[in-house]
Amino acid sequence: MTTTPEKSPVTPTSPRSPFLVPSPIVTRRTRTYSTSKAASEGPVKKGTIKDFCRHKGHGFINPVEESIEPMFVHISDIEGEYIPVVGDQVTYKECLVPPKKLKKQAVEVVLTHLAPDVKHYRWEDPQG
């Protein structure tokens, strides 16, 4: 005797939905809709790349406000075609880091001015 597994309903928000395209970027943390919305509604801030490692997938931003500690940035939150290097100027928004939501990380990071006299690689460049 064979049994058939029950089919779970497919809703627009379910992972099996034919209407959603899965993200090609795998992140360690997945933000909830409410956290993402709160971050996107926040003010745009400015800073400078302190360090960034493409192979590790993260780096830090020095905010313009000197009294604030460096802001963590994940590779999936960087928008644009160039890999950030030390000295690049950026704009970003802040997002609370789960689960305790005591620290913040940079999201929606956009490179506004590339550091002069430094070679910049594109994401698709193998040596970058």
Side-chain angles (χ1 to χ4, degrees):
M1 177 166 89
T2 60
T3 60
T4 59
E6 290 182 329
K7 285 189 170 183
S8 61
V10 176
T11 62
T13 58
S14 75
R16 295 179 9 166
S17 173
F19 305 108
L20 295 179
V21 177
S23 173
I25 301 171
V26 179
T27 60
R28 188 160 180 223
R29 294 186 184 95
T30 55
R31 286 188 280 279
T32 61
Y33 174 77
S34 60
T35 303
S36 296
K37 185 177 178 188
S40 67
E41 292 173 350
V44 175
K45 300 192 175 194
K46 295 181 180 183
T48 306
I49 297 291
K50 176 182 177 186
D51 61 52
F52 185 81
C53 179
R54 178 181 185 177
H55 302 292
K56 291 181 181 178
H58 69 273
F60 293 90
I61 296 173
N62 279 330
V64 171
E65 300 90 20
E66 295 295 327
S67 60
I68 300 176
E69 65 183 40
M71 184 81 52
F72 175 82
V73 60
H74 188 267
I75 193 170
S76 65
D77 291 314
I78 298 171
E79 300 174 8
E81 60 182 310
Y82 291 104
I83 300 169
V85 297
V86 175
D88 286 347
Q89 294 179 9
V90 296
T91 59
Y92 64 93
K93 294 183 180 182
E94 293 179 347
C95 176
L96 294 172
V97 179
K100 294 182 182 180
K101 298 189 176 186
L102 297 176
K103 294 189 176 192
K104 296 178 182 179
Q105 78 177 55
V107 296
E108 299 181 26
V109 178
V110 178
L111 279 77
T112 56
H113 298 306
L114 303 178
D117 303 325
V118 178
K119 173 74 174 156
H120 284 82
Y121 294 99
R122 296 176 190 268
W123 291 106
E124 64 268 10
D125 292 341
Q127 68 272 22

